[in-house]
Coordinates of all heavy atoms in Angstrom, one line a residue:
Y814 N 9.7 -77.5 -158.3 CA 11.0 -77.0 -158.0 C 11.0 -75.9 -157.3 O 10.3 -74.9 -157.6 CB 11.9 -77.0 -159.2 CG 13.4 -76.7 -158.9 CD1 14.2 -77.6 -158.5 CD2 13.8 -75.3 -159.1 CE1 15.5 -77.3 -158.2 CE2 15.1 -75.0 -158.8 CZ 16.0 -76.0 -158.4 OH 17.2 -75.6 -158.1
Q815 N 11.8 -75.8 -156.1 CA 11.8 -74.5 -155.4 C 13.3 -74.0 -155.5 O 14.3 -74.7 -155.1 CB 11.5 -74.7 -154.0 CG 10.0 -75.1 -153.7 CD 9.6 -74.6 -152.3 OE1 10.4 -74.3 -151.5 NE2 8.3 -74.7 -152.1
F816 N 13.4 -72.7 -155.9 CA 14.7 -72.1 -156.1 C 15.1 -71.8 -154.7 O 14.4 -71.3 -153.9 CB 14.6 -70.9 -156.9 CG 14.3 -71.2 -158.3 CD1 12.9 -71.0 -158.8 CD2 15.3 -71.7 -159.3 CE1 12.6 -71.3 -160.0 CE2 15.0 -72.0 -160.5 CZ 13.6 -71.8 -160.9
P817 N 16.5 -71.7 -154.4 CA 17.1 -71.3 -153.1 C 16.7 -69.8 -153.0 O 16.7 -69.1 -153.9 CB 18.5 -71.4 -153.2 CG 18.9 -72.3 -154.5 CD 17.5 -72.3 -155.3
R818 N 16.3 -69.4 -151.7 CA 16.0 -68.1 -151.4 C 14.7 -67.6 -152.1 O 14.4 -66.5 -151.8 CB 17.1 -67.1 -151.9 CG 18.4 -67.3 -151.2 CD 19.5 -66.4 -151.5 NE 18.9 -65.3 -152.4 CZ 19.2 -64.0 -152.3 NH1 20.1 -63.6 -151.4 NH2 18.6 -63.2 -153.1
I819 N 14.0 -68.4 -152.8 CA 12.7 -68.1 -153.3 C 11.8 -69.1 -153.1 O 11.4 -69.9 -154.0 CB 12.8 -67.9 -154.9 CG1 14.1 -66.9 -155.2 CG2 11.6 -67.2 -155.4 CD1 14.3 -66.6 -156.6
P820 N 11.2 -69.3 -151.9 CA 10.3 -70.4 -151.6 C 9.0 -70.0 -152.2 O 8.5 -69.0 -152.4 CB 10.1 -70.4 -150.2 CG 10.6 -69.0 -149.8 CD 11.5 -68.5 -150.8
H821 N 8.3 -71.1 -152.6 CA 6.9 -71.0 -153.1 C 6.7 -70.1 -154.6 O 5.8 -69.6 -154.7 CB 6.0 -70.3 -152.1 CG 6.0 -71.0 -150.8 ND1 5.4 -72.4 -150.6 CD2 6.5 -70.7 -149.6 CE1 5.6 -72.7 -149.4 NE2 6.3 -71.7 -148.7
I822 N 7.8 -70.1 -155.3 CA 7.9 -69.4 -156.5 C 6.8 -69.9 -157.5 O 6.1 -69.1 -158.3 CB 9.2 -69.3 -157.2 CG1 9.2 -68.2 -158.2 CG2 9.7 -70.5 -157.8 CD1 10.5 -67.8 -158.7
G823 N 6.5 -71.3 -157.4 CA 5.5 -71.8 -158.5 C 4.1 -71.4 -158.1 O 3.2 -71.6 -158.8
M824 N 3.8 -70.8 -156.9 CA 2.6 -70.3 -156.5 C 2.2 -68.8 -157.1 O 1.1 -68.4 -157.1 CB 2.3 -70.3 -155.0 CG 2.6 -71.7 -154.4 SD 1.2 -72.8 -154.8 CE 0.0 -72.3 -153.6
L825 N 3.3 -68.1 -157.6 CA 3.1 -66.9 -157.9 C 2.4 -66.8 -159.5 O 2.8 -67.6 -160.4 CB 4.4 -66.2 -158.1 CG 5.2 -66.0 -156.8 CD1 6.5 -65.3 -157.1 CD2 4.3 -65.1 -155.8
P826 N 1.6 -65.8 -159.8 CA 1.2 -65.7 -161.2 C 2.4 -65.4 -162.0 O 3.4 -64.8 -161.5 CB 0.3 -64.4 -161.0 CG -0.2 -64.3 -159.6 CD 0.9 -65.0 -158.8
W827 N 2.4 -65.7 -163.2 CA 3.6 -65.7 -164.0 C 4.2 -64.2 -164.1 O 5.5 -64.2 -164.1 CB 3.4 -66.3 -165.5 CG 3.0 -65.4 -166.4 CD1 1.7 -65.2 -166.9 CD2 3.8 -64.5 -167.2 NE1 1.7 -64.2 -167.9 CE2 2.9 -63.9 -168.1 CE3 5.1 -64.1 -167.3 CZ2 3.3 -62.8 -169.0 CZ3 5.6 -63.2 -168.1 CH2 4.7 -62.6 -169.0
P828 N 3.5 -63.2 -164.2 CA 4.3 -61.9 -164.3 C 5.1 -61.7 -163.0 O 6.3 -61.2 -163.0 CB 3.2 -60.9 -164.5 CG 2.2 -61.6 -164.9 CD 2.0 -62.8 -164.4
E829 N 4.6 -62.0 -161.8 CA 5.3 -61.9 -160.5 C 6.4 -62.8 -160.4 O 7.4 -62.5 -159.9 CB 4.3 -62.0 -159.3 CG 3.2 -60.9 -159.3 CD 2.2 -61.2 -158.0 OE1 2.6 -62.1 -157.2 OE2 1.2 -60.7 -158.0
R830 N 6.1 -64.1 -160.9 CA 7.2 -65.0 -160.9 C 8.4 -64.7 -161.7 O 9.5 -64.8 -161.3 CB 6.6 -66.4 -161.3 CG 7.6 -67.5 -161.3 CD 7.2 -68.8 -162.1 NE 5.9 -69.2 -161.7 CZ 5.5 -70.5 -162.2 NH1 6.3 -71.3 -162.7 NH2 4.3 -70.8 -161.8
A831 N 8.1 -64.1 -162.9 CA 9.2 -63.8 -163.9 C 10.0 -62.7 -163.3 O 11.2 -62.6 -163.3 CB 8.5 -63.4 -165.2
V832 N 9.3 -61.6 -162.7 CA 10.0 -60.5 -162.1 C 10.9 -61.0 -161.0 O 11.9 -60.6 -160.8 CB 9.0 -59.4 -161.8 CG1 9.8 -58.4 -160.9 CG2 8.4 -58.8 -162.9
H833 N 10.3 -61.8 -160.1 CA 10.9 -62.2 -158.8 C 12.1 -63.1 -159.3 O 13.2 -63.0 -158.6 CB 9.9 -62.9 -158.0 CG 10.4 -62.8 -156.5 ND1 10.6 -61.8 -155.7 CD2 10.9 -63.9 -155.6 CE1 10.9 -62.1 -154.4 NE2 11.3 -63.5 -154.5
F834 N 11.9 -64.0 -160.1 CA 13.0 -64.9 -160.5 C 14.1 -64.0 -161.2 O 15.4 -64.3 -160.8 CB 12.5 -65.9 -161.4 CG 13.6 -66.9 -162.0 CD1 14.1 -67.8 -161.2 CD2 14.2 -66.6 -163.2 CE1 15.0 -68.6 -161.7 CE2 15.2 -67.5 -163.8 CZ 15.7 -68.4 -163.0
L835 N 13.9 -63.2 -162.0 CA 14.9 -62.3 -162.6 C 15.7 -61.4 -161.7 O 16.9 -61.4 -161.6 CB 14.3 -61.4 -163.8 CG 13.8 -62.2 -165.0 CD1 13.1 -61.3 -165.9 CD2 15.0 -62.9 -165.7
R836 N 14.9 -60.9 -160.8 CA 15.5 -60.0 -159.8 C 16.3 -60.7 -158.6 O 17.5 -60.4 -158.4 CB 14.5 -59.1 -159.1 CG 13.7 -58.3 -160.1 CD 14.5 -57.0 -160.5 NE 14.4 -56.1 -159.3 CZ 15.4 -55.3 -159.1 NH1 16.5 -55.1 -159.8 NH2 15.3 -54.5 -157.9
E837 N 15.7 -61.8 -158.1 CA 16.3 -62.4 -156.9 C 17.2 -63.6 -157.3 O 18.3 -63.6 -156.8 CB 15.2 -63.1 -156.0 CG 14.3 -62.0 -155.4 CD 15.0 -61.1 -154.5 OE1 15.9 -61.4 -153.7 OE2 14.6 -59.9 -154.5
A838 N 16.9 -64.4 -158.2 CA 17.8 -65.5 -158.6 C 18.9 -65.2 -159.5 O 19.9 -65.5 -159.5 CB 16.9 -66.6 -159.3
L839 N 18.6 -64.2 -160.6 CA 19.5 -63.9 -161.7 C 20.2 -62.5 -161.4 O 21.0 -62.3 -162.2 CB 18.9 -64.0 -163.0 CG 18.4 -65.4 -163.5 CD1 17.7 -65.3 -164.8 CD2 19.4 -66.4 -163.4
H840 N 19.6 -61.9 -160.4 CA 20.2 -60.5 -160.0 C 20.2 -59.6 -161.1 O 21.1 -58.8 -161.2 CB 21.6 -60.7 -159.3 CG 21.7 -61.7 -158.2 ND1 21.1 -61.5 -157.0 CD2 22.2 -62.9 -158.1 CE1 21.3 -62.4 -156.3 NE2 22.0 -63.3 -156.9
Y841 N 19.1 -59.6 -161.9 CA 19.0 -58.6 -163.0 C 18.6 -57.2 -162.2 O 17.9 -57.2 -161.2 CB 17.8 -58.8 -163.9 CG 18.1 -60.0 -165.0 CD1 19.1 -60.9 -164.8 CD2 17.6 -59.9 -166.2 CE1 19.4 -61.8 -165.7 CE2 17.7 -60.8 -167.1 CZ 18.7 -61.9 -166.9 OH 19.0 -62.8 -167.9
S842 N 19.0 -56.2 -162.9 CA 18.6 -54.8 -162.4 C 17.1 -54.6 -162.8 O 16.6 -55.3 -163.6 CB 19.5 -53.8 -163.0 OG 19.1 -53.7 -164.5
R843 N 16.5 -53.6 -162.1 CA 15.2 -53.2 -162.3 C 15.1 -52.8 -163.8 O 14.0 -53.2 -164.5 CB 14.9 -52.1 -161.5 CG 13.4 -51.7 -161.8 CD 13.1 -50.5 -161.0 NE 13.8 -49.4 -161.1 CZ 13.6 -48.2 -160.6 NH1 12.6 -48.0 -159.8 NH2 14.4 -47.2 -160.8
R844 N 16.0 -52.1 -164.3 CA 15.9 -51.7 -165.7 C 16.1 -52.8 -166.7 O 15.2 -52.9 -167.7 CB 17.1 -50.7 -166.0 CG 16.8 -49.9 -167.4 CD 15.7 -49.0 -167.5 NE 15.3 -48.7 -168.7 CZ 13.9 -48.7 -169.1 NH1 13.0 -49.2 -168.4 NH2 13.8 -48.5 -170.5
D845 N 17.0 -53.6 -166.6 CA 17.1 -54.9 -167.3 C 15.9 -55.8 -167.3 O 15.4 -56.3 -168.4 CB 18.3 -55.7 -166.9 CG 19.6 -55.1 -167.3 OD1 19.6 -54.0 -168.2 OD2 20.8 -55.5 -166.9
T846 N 15.3 -55.9 -166.2 CA 14.1 -56.7 -166.0 C 12.9 -56.1 -166.8 O 12.2 -56.8 -167.5 CB 13.7 -56.9 -164.6 OG1 14.7 -57.6 -163.9 CG2 12.5 -57.8 -164.5
A847 N 12.8 -54.8 -166.8 CA 11.8 -53.9 -167.4 C 12.0 -54.2 -168.8 O 11.0 -54.4 -169.6 CB 11.8 -52.6 -166.9
L848 N 13.3 -54.0 -169.4 CA 13.4 -54.1 -170.8 C 13.2 -55.5 -171.3 O 12.4 -55.7 -172.3 CB 14.9 -53.7 -171.1 CG 15.1 -52.2 -171.0 CD1 16.6 -52.0 -171.1 CD2 14.3 -51.4 -172.0
L849 N 13.6 -56.5 -170.6 CA 13.4 -58.0 -171.0 C 11.9 -58.3 -171.1 O 11.5 -58.9 -172.0 CB 14.2 -58.9 -170.0 CG 14.0 -60.4 -170.4 CD1 14.7 -60.7 -171.7 CD2 14.7 -61.1 -169.2
L850 N 11.1 -57.8 -170.1 CA 9.7 -58.1 -170.0 C 8.8 -57.1 -170.7 O 7.5 -57.4 -170.8 CB 9.3 -58.3 -168.6 CG 10.0 -59.5 -167.7 CD1 9.6 -59.5 -166.3 CD2 9.8 -60.7 -168.4
G851 N 9.3 -56.1 -171.2 CA 8.5 -55.0 -171.9 C 7.6 -54.3 -171.0 O 6.5 -54.1 -171.3
M852 N 8.1 -54.0 -169.7 CA 7.3 -53.2 -168.8 C 8.1 -52.0 -168.4 O 9.1 -51.8 -168.6 CB 7.0 -54.2 -167.5 CG 6.2 -55.5 -167.9 SD 6.1 -56.4 -166.4 CE 5.2 -57.8 -167.0
S853 N 7.2 -51.2 -167.7 CA 8.0 -50.0 -167.1 C 8.7 -50.4 -165.7 O 8.4 -51.5 -165.1 CB 7.0 -48.9 -166.7 OG 6.2 -49.3 -165.7
D854 N 9.6 -49.5 -165.4 CA 10.3 -49.7 -164.2 C 9.5 -49.7 -162.9 O 9.5 -50.6 -161.9 CB 11.4 -48.7 -164.0 CG 12.6 -48.7 -164.9 OD1 12.6 -49.7 -165.7 OD2 13.5 -47.9 -164.8
A855 N 8.4 -48.9 -163.0 CA 7.5 -48.8 -161.9 C 6.6 -50.1 -161.8 O 6.3 -50.5 -160.8 CB 6.5 -47.6 -162.0
N856 N 6.3 -50.7 -162.9 CA 5.6 -51.9 -163.0 C 6.4 -53.1 -162.3 O 5.9 -53.9 -161.6 CB 5.2 -52.3 -164.4 CG 4.0 -53.2 -164.4 OD1 3.7 -53.8 -163.5 ND2 3.4 -53.4 -165.6
I857 N 7.7 -53.1 -162.7 CA 8.6 -54.1 -162.1 C 8.7 -53.9 -160.6 O 8.5 -54.9 -160.0 CB 10.0 -54.0 -162.9 CG1 9.9 -54.2 -164.4 CG2 10.9 -54.8 -162.0 CD1 9.4 -55.6 -164.7
D858 N 8.9 -52.8 -160.2 CA 8.9 -52.6 -158.8 C 7.6 -52.9 -158.1 O 7.6 -53.6 -157.0 CB 9.0 -51.0 -158.4 CG 10.4 -50.5 -158.8 OD1 11.3 -51.3 -158.8 OD2 10.5 -49.3 -158.8
Q859 N 6.4 -52.7 -158.8 CA 5.1 -53.2 -158.1 C 5.0 -54.6 -158.1 O 4.6 -55.3 -157.2 CB 4.0 -52.4 -158.9 CG 2.6 -52.8 -158.3 CD 1.6 -52.0 -159.1 OE1 1.6 -52.0 -160.4 NE2 0.6 -51.5 -158.4
L860 N 5.4 -55.3 -159.2 CA 5.2 -56.8 -159.4 C 6.1 -57.4 -158.3 O 5.8 -58.5 -157.7 CB 5.5 -57.2 -160.7 CG 4.3 -57.0 -161.7 CD1 4.8 -57.2 -163.2 CD2 3.0 -57.7 -161.3
H861 N 7.5 -56.9 -158.3 CA 8.3 -57.5 -157.3 C 7.8 -57.2 -155.8 O 7.9 -58.4 -155.0 CB 9.6 -56.8 -157.4 CG 10.8 -57.5 -156.7 ND1 11.7 -56.8 -156.0 CD2 11.1 -58.8 -156.6 CE1 12.7 -57.7 -155.5 NE2 12.3 -58.8 -155.9
K862 N 7.3 -56.2 -155.4 CA 6.6 -56.1 -154.1 C 5.5 -56.9 -154.0 O 5.4 -57.7 -152.8 CB 6.1 -54.6 -154.0 CG 5.6 -54.4 -152.6 CD 5.2 -52.9 -152.4 CE 4.5 -52.6 -151.2 NZ 4.2 -51.2 -151.0
F863 N 4.6 -57.1 -154.9 CA 3.5 -58.1 -154.7 C 4.0 -59.4 -154.6 O 3.4 -60.2 -153.9 CB 2.6 -58.0 -156.1 CG 1.8 -56.8 -156.3 CD1 1.2 -56.4 -157.5 CD2 1.5 -56.0 -155.2 CE1 0.5 -55.3 -157.7 CE2 0.8 -54.8 -155.3 CZ 0.3 -54.5 -156.7
A864 N 5.1 -59.9 -155.3 CA 5.6 -61.2 -155.2 C 6.1 -61.5 -153.9 O 5.8 -62.5 -153.3 CB 6.7 -61.4 -156.3
E865 N 6.8 -60.6 -153.3 CA 7.3 -60.7 -151.9 C 6.4 -60.8 -151.0 O 6.4 -61.7 -150.0 CB 8.3 -59.5 -151.7 CG 9.6 -59.6 -152.4 CD 10.5 -58.3 -152.1 OE1 10.0 -57.3 -151.6 OE2 11.7 -58.4 -152.4
N866 N 5.2 -60.0 -151.1 CA 4.0 -60.1 -150.1 C 3.4 -61.4 -150.2 O 3.0 -62.0 -149.3 CB 3.2 -58.9 -150.4 CG 3.6 -57.6 -150.0 OD1 4.6 -57.5 -149.2 ND2 3.1 -56.5 -150.5
R867 N 3.2 -61.9 -151.5 CA 2.5 -63.1 -151.7 C 3.4 -64.3 -151.2 O 2.8 -65.3 -150.7 CB 2.2 -63.4 -153.2 CG 1.2 -64.4 -153.5 CD 0.9 -64.5 -155.0 NE 0.6 -63.4 -155.7 CZ -0.7 -62.9 -156.0 NH1 -1.8 -63.8 -155.7 NH2 -1.0 -61.8 -156.6
I868 N 4.7 -64.3 -151.4 CA 5.6 -65.3 -150.9 C 5.5 -65.3 -149.4 O 5.4 -66.4 -148.7 CB 6.9 -65.1 -151.4 CG1 7.1 -65.5 -152.9 CG2 7.9 -66.0 -150.5 CD1 8.5 -65.1 -153.4
R869 N 5.4 -64.1 -148.8 CA 5.3 -64.1 -147.2 C 4.0 -64.8 -146.8 O 4.0 -65.6 -145.9 CB 5.4 -62.7 -146.8 CG 6.2 -62.5 -145.6 CD 6.3 -61.0 -145.2 NE 6.0 -59.9 -146.0 CZ 6.8 -59.3 -146.8 NH1 8.1 -59.7 -147.0 NH2 6.3 -58.4 -147.6
C870 N 2.9 -64.4 -147.7 CA 1.6 -65.0 -147.2 C 1.6 -66.6 -147.5 O 1.0 -67.2 -146.6 CB 0.5 -64.4 -148.1 SG 0.1 -62.7 -147.7
F871 N 2.2 -67.1 -148.6 CA 2.3 -68.4 -148.8 C 3.1 -69.2 -147.8 O 2.8 -70.3 -147.5 CB 2.9 -68.8 -150.2 CG 2.1 -68.4 -151.4 CD1 2.6 -68.1 -152.6 CD2 0.7 -68.4 -151.3 CE1 1.8 -67.8 -153.7 CE2 -0.1 -68.1 -152.3 CZ 0.4 -67.9 -153.6
S872 N 4.1 -68.5 -147.3 CA 5.0 -69.2 -146.2 C 4.1 -69.4 -144.9 O 4.4 -70.4 -144.2 CB 6.0 -68.3 -145.9 OG 7.0 -68.1 -146.9
N873 N 3.1 -68.6 -144.7 CA 2.2 -68.8 -143.4 C 0.9 -69.7 -143.8 O 0.2 -69.9 -142.9 CB 1.9 -67.5 -143.0 CG 3.1 -66.7 -142.5 OD1 4.1 -67.2 -142.1 ND2 3.1 -65.3 -142.7
A874 N 0.7 -69.8 -145.0 CA -0.6 -70.5 -145.5 C -0.3 -72.1 -145.6 O 0.7 -72.7 -145.6 CB -1.0 -70.0 -146.9
P875 N -1.5 -72.9 -145.5 CA -1.5 -74.3 -145.7 C -0.7 -74.7 -147.0 O -1.0 -74.1 -148.0 CB -2.9 -74.8 -145.6 CG -3.6 -73.6 -145.0 CD -2.8 -72.3 -145.2
A876 N -0.3 -75.8 -147.0 CA 0.5 -76.3 -148.2 C -0.5 -76.8 -149.3 O -0.1 -76.9 -150.5 CB 1.3 -77.5 -147.8
Q877 N -1.8 -76.9 -149.1 CA -2.6 -77.4 -150.1 C -3.3 -76.2 -151.0 O -4.1 -76.4 -151.7 CB -3.8 -78.2 -149.5 CG -4.7 -77.4 -148.6 CD -4.5 -77.4 -147.1 OE1 -3.3 -77.7 -146.9 NE2 -5.4 -77.1 -146.3
L878 N -2.7 -75.0 -150.9 CA -3.1 -74.0 -151.9 C -2.9 -74.3 -153.3 O -1.9 -75.0 -153.6 CB -2.4 -72.7 -151.5 CG -2.7 -71.9 -150.2 CD1 -1.7 -70.7 -150.0 CD2 -4.1 -71.5 -150.2
A879 N -3.8 -73.8 -154.1 CA -3.8 -74.3 -155.6 C -2.7 -73.5 -156.2 O -2.5 -72.4 -155.9 CB -5.2 -74.0 -156.3
D880 N -2.1 -74.0 -157.2 CA -1.2 -73.3 -158.1 C -1.8 -72.3 -159.0 O -2.6 -72.8 -159.8 CB -0.3 -74.4 -158.9 CG 0.9 -73.7 -159.6 OD1 0.8 -72.4 -159.8 OD2 1.7 -74.5 -160.1
V881 N -1.5 -71.0 -158.9 CA -2.2 -70.1 -159.7 C -1.4 -69.5 -160.8 O -1.7 -68.5 -161.4 CB -2.8 -68.8 -158.8 CG1 -3.8 -69.3 -157.7 CG2 -1.5 -68.2 -158.0
S882 N -0.3 -70.1 -161.0 CA 0.7 -69.5 -161.8 C 0.6 -70.0 -163.5 O 1.1 -69.2 -164.1 CB 2.1 -70.0 -161.4 OG 2.2 -71.4 -161.6
G883 N -0.1 -71.0 -163.7 CA -0.1 -71.3 -165.2 C 1.2 -72.1 -165.5 O 1.7 -72.7 -164.7
S884 N 1.4 -72.0 -166.8 CA 2.6 -72.8 -167.2 C 3.9 -72.4 -166.8 O 4.2 -71.1 -166.9 CB 2.7 -72.9 -168.7 OG 3.7 -73.4 -169.2
S885 N 4.8 -73.2 -166.2 CA 6.1 -72.7 -165.9 C 7.1 -72.7 -167.0 O 8.2 -72.2 -167.0 CB 6.7 -73.7 -164.7 OG 6.8 -74.9 -165.3
Q886 N 6.7 -73.1 -168.2 CA 7.5 -73.0 -169.4 C 7.8 -71.5 -169.7 O 8.9 -71.4 -170.4 CB 6.8 -73.7 -170.5 CG 6.7 -75.3 -170.3 CD 7.9 -76.0 -170.1 OE1 8.9 -75.6 -170.8 NE2 8.0 -76.9 -169.2
R887 N 6.9 -70.7 -169.5 CA 7.2 -69.3 -169.9 C 8.5 -68.7 -169.1 O 9.3 -68.1 -169.8 CB 6.0 -68.4 -169.5 CG 4.8 -68.6 -170.3 CD 3.7 -67.7 -169.9 NE 2.4 -68.2 -170.1 CZ 1.4 -68.3 -169.4 NH1 1.4 -67.6 -168.2 NH2 0.3 -68.9 -169.7
L888 N 8.7 -69.1 -168.0 CA 9.7 -68.7 -167.2 C 11.1 -69.2 -167.7 O 12.1 -68.4 -167.8 CB 9.5 -68.9 -165.7 CG 10.7 -68.5 -164.8 CD1 10.8 -66.8 -164.8 CD2 10.3 -68.9 -163.2
V889 N 10.9 -70.4 -168.0 CA 12.1 -71.1 -168.6 C 12.5 -70.4 -169.9 O 13.7 -70.2 -170.2 CB 11.9 -72.6 -168.9 CG1 12.9 -73.3 -169.6 CG2 11.6 -73.3 -167.6
R890 N 11.5 -70.1 -170.7 CA 11.8 -69.4 -172.1 C 12.3 -68.1 -171.8 O 13.3 -67.5 -172.5 CB 10.6 -69.3 -172.9 CG 10.2 -70.6 -173.6 CD 9.1 -70.4 -174.5 NE 8.1 -71.3 -174.2 CZ 6.9 -71.1 -174.0 NH1 6.2 -69.9 -174.2 NH2 6.0 -72.0 -173.5
I891 N 11.9 -67.2 -170.9 CA 12.4 -66.0 -170.5 C 13.9 -66.2 -170.0 O 14.7 -65.3 -170.5 CB 11.5 -65.2 -169.3 CG1 10.2 -64.9 -170.0 CG2 12.3 -64.0 -168.9 CD1 9.1 -64.5 -168.9
A892 N 14.1 -67.1 -169.2 CA 15.5 -67.2 -168.7 C 16.5 -67.6 -169.8 O 17.6 -67.1 -169.8 CB 15.5 -68.1 -167.5
A893 N 16.0 -68.5 -170.7 CA 17.0 -68.8 -171.8 C 17.1 -67.7 -172.8 O 18.1 -67.7 -173.4 CB 16.3 -70.0 -172.2
W894 N 16.1 -66.9 -173.0 CA 16.2 -65.8 -174.0 C 17.4 -64.9 -173.7 O 18.1 -64.4 -174.6 CB 14.9 -65.1 -174.0 CG 14.8 -64.0 -175.1 CD1 14.7 -64.3 -176.4 CD2 14.7 -62.7 -175.0 NE1 14.5 -63.1 -177.1 CE2 14.6 -62.1 -176.2 CE3 14.8 -61.8 -173.8 CZ2 14.5 -60.8 -176.5 CZ3 14.6 -60.5 -174.0 CH2 14.6 -60.1 -175.4
R895 N 17.6 -64.5 -172.4 CA 18.7 -63.7 -172.1 C 20.0 -64.3 -172.5 O 20.9 -64.0 -173.0 CB 18.6 -63.3 -170.7 CG 19.8 -62.4 -170.2 CD 19.3 -61.2 -169.7 NE 20.3 -60.4 -169.0 CZ 20.7 -59.3 -169.4 NH1 20.4 -58.6 -170.3 NH2 21.8 -58.8 -168.8

């Protein structure tokens, strides 16, 4: 499944996916995202930047790239927990 405005989210490692999903799809603040995931604000900023860079790279890469994300169930649990 691809979320609107978040192409290739399934290709992200789960920490980047969780941060990007919470920030972009659910519009959580940096602080709320950090508290929810048990990370620092600086770590959230870094993961969000990595996710955006990776998505940009995936947009330009061939479609046959392997999924490096692991289980998508974690993200569902994170979103449901809030």
Side-chain angles (χ1 to χ4, degrees):
Y814 180 77
Q815 291 202 355
F816 296 97
R818 297 177 10 137
I819 311 177
H821 307 289
I822 193 168
M824 301 291 281
L825 297 173
W827 89 262
E829 291 176 23
R830 184 192 308 190
V832 168
H833 200 72
F834 178 75
L835 292 170
R836 299 278 291 148
E837 296 295 323
L839 299 181
H840 304 289
Y841 280 31
S842 69
R843 174 179 65 169
R844 188 70 197 135
D845 286 344
T846 303
L848 290 171
L849 181 64
L850 298 177
M852 298 178 184
S853 69
D854 290 358
N856 198 349
I857 295 301
D858 288 341
Q859 186 177 41
L860 288 170
H861 193 223
K862 183 178 177 180
F863 289 163
E865 288 176 343
N866 289 339
R867 198 180 303 260
I868 286 171
R869 221 178 349 267
C870 288
F871 287 154
S872 296
N873 298 326
Q877 66 267 19
L878 288 174
D880 186 345
V881 296
S882 64
S884 173
S885 63
Q886 294 300 318
R887 291 183 207 138
L888 185 57
V889 172
R890 281 188 238 132
I891 289 171
W894 185 66
R895 174 115 165 127

